[in-house]
Amino acid sequence: MRSGLSYLTSSAISFSKKKNNQPLFYSIPLFFFFNHIHSYTHNLTDNNHTRTSLYQMEEEYSLVDTSKLLQAASDFSFDPGTRSDAAVKEFLASFPLPVIISALQTKGDVHGLEDALIDCLEKIFRTKYGASLIPHFMPFIVVGLQASSQRVRALSCETISSLLEYLEDNTGLATSLIKENDVYPLLLNCLIDGDEQVAVAATAAIRNLAGSPHGIEIIFPSAPNDDTDITKLAARCSSLGRVRVLALIVKLFSTSSAAATLVYNSNLLGLLEAEIRNVNDTLLTLSVLELYYELAEVQHGMECVLQTNILQLLISIIRNSSAESMLRSRAMMISGRLLSKENILTFIDESGIKAVIAAIDERLSLLDSQDADEYECALEALGQIGSSSQGAVLLLSNTSAAKHVVNAAFDLHGRGRQLAALHSLGNIVGETRPENNKLLTSDAEETLRRLIYETASNSPKLIPSGLVLSILKLESEFRIAGYRLITGLSARPWFLVEICSRQEIINIITDSYTETSKIGMEARYNCCEAIYKALASLSDPALYGTAEKLHESIKKGPYLANRRKHEARPEVATADRF
């Protein structure tokens, strides 16, 4: 059974120059390794002499004690952390790179040796010193990218990443080597037909290449050929390969503003749109939706994304009753993420946001008590849209959609639905927004107030403070959502008066021992601060006592400053006698 490096040798020979029908050297990799051992090659001038010397050196390196090399390589690569340059130099002083490669090439049948040496090379090339050796061994990397061994291919891809990370500078040294050795097409091949580990390593290498001004020119040349044209590459791939190419597009888009512009101008985002339209393949469509979910986080390219037809496609999925529920759910979540930015109206007009809100509202009306997961996703999406002040205003202008959120937030029957709605309502009322941006327009504020009072009047609690108190009496995850809601709503005087009129609410909020989790403690503390700051602006003497109680709780800090109970102490007693 041949090792991965045995394949490298046979492949390299086919690429080598020949004289008198004989190979000039055994393999390109070993020739370059040996060629840089100056102590051996300084006085070599005759081709026959050179060939003989190289054979002698390869034979010399092949005589290394395999058991010692295996043990040393295993010890070197055993440490899960990054090795230092000093450690690499010390190891290579005992076992030079030609020794390692020769062993991989000729001793691949030794149990565990190939894995140990590949692990060792990974550690070496991840250091700055190890990366400085890579330019001398580019032919080895080139052949490694075409190896049958998946581990060798992954190692070669990772080595390209190390080359770019450590040696790319204003001179473009690393990218020059990549261009001269025609590495980029080989990375694309690794991406589409390698195993998962190889594909991940190839994607990382290409993304690192895109991070360089010189590298971006390799990926987006003025005249791309069939081997490097991403559109043509995607067209001839299998479904798995196509998803990998689409994932690469998303990674390139997220690299920088310059890369995002090139991706957009090359119409590569259109490839994602085309797959979204193919609703017959649920798995593929869902995979592409996940890529869009990642794409929605790329702030520097948001303008490009929203200039495509993505919102219209997402709306069509949300309204498609025959589509899989999980597809509609993801479409709603992506819509919410895309429209959650505070400056969203600089990228899209109000009509686009209103259309998404209307589509989600229609879906909520149809769902009713069916499909709890989809219902919760719809509520979360509305909360994402409402997290910006502009989105909250547009959401509250659609009374039906806003009513779904408010009603679900105070409905004790749907537990998961209520929790999702509480967090969404917390976003809408401004818990995540800065202090000076919590309040909305007068019309939006009036709609919010009216919906909360209507919901309370239609419940057994009758008033908003009763609804809030019922939430604070639930388990911790609901209390945390309740704290967030109070933090946002406390900026409204009408709500502030409501909660301060119920001393039981203030007692729960100011109790330092109510919460035991870190997130719970912080949410309760933030709630205290928000109410205290709002009370300070009212200057109502009737509320001074409440303000003082809040202030005392704030002074203790968010985390249990004083322990209610003493630490356990051992009890010493006379032993019972029998």
Side-chain angles (χ1 to χ4, degrees), residues 422-471:
L422 280 170
H423 281 294
S424 295
L425 188 55
N427 289 343
I428 294 167
V429 300
E431 190 270 341
T432 58
R433 296 195 292 270
E435 288 293 330
N436 59 353
N437 205 22
K438 291 189 184 298
L439 296 178
L440 307 170
T441 63
S442 57
D443 288 344
E445 286 294 335
E446 178 56 29
T447 300
L448 176 65
R449 190 189 70 81
R450 177 172 53 81
L451 286 174
I452 290 178
Y453 272 102
E454 282 181 0
T455 301
S457 64
N458 293 329
S459 74
K461 305 301 180 182
L462 299 178
I463 54 176
S465 60
L467 294 177
V468 172
L469 182 58
S470 65
I471 292 169

Side-chain angles (χ1 to χ4, degrees), residues 281-338:
D281 191 337
T282 300
L283 184 59
L284 181 59
T285 304
L286 189 61
S287 298
V288 178
L289 284 175
E290 292 302 319
L291 293 176
Y292 262 116
Y293 192 72
E294 182 180 341
L295 199 63
E297 281 292 282
V298 184
Q299 181 61 40
H300 63 247
M302 190 57 61
E303 183 176 3
C304 295
V305 175
L306 292 174
Q307 285 177 5
T308 66
N309 297 318
I310 181 59
L311 279 184
Q312 290 81 356
L313 292 173
L314 292 173
I315 289 171
S316 67
I317 293 175
I318 294 169
R319 286 180 167 156
N320 185 356
S321 298
S322 61
E324 294 284 345
S325 176
M326 67 178 71
L327 291 181
R328 289 193 299 268
S329 297
R330 295 314 288 168
M332 286 187 280
M333 293 300 291
I334 294 165
S335 301
R337 180 175 278 198
L338 281 171

Side-chain angles (χ1 to χ4, degrees), residues 65-85:
D65 187 329
T66 305
S67 61
K68 288 184 178 179
L69 177 59
L70 174 59
Q71 184 61 52
S74 300
D75 293 343
F76 182 83
S77 58
F78 181 76
D79 188 345
T82 302
R83 303 310 301 265
S84 66
D85 284 350

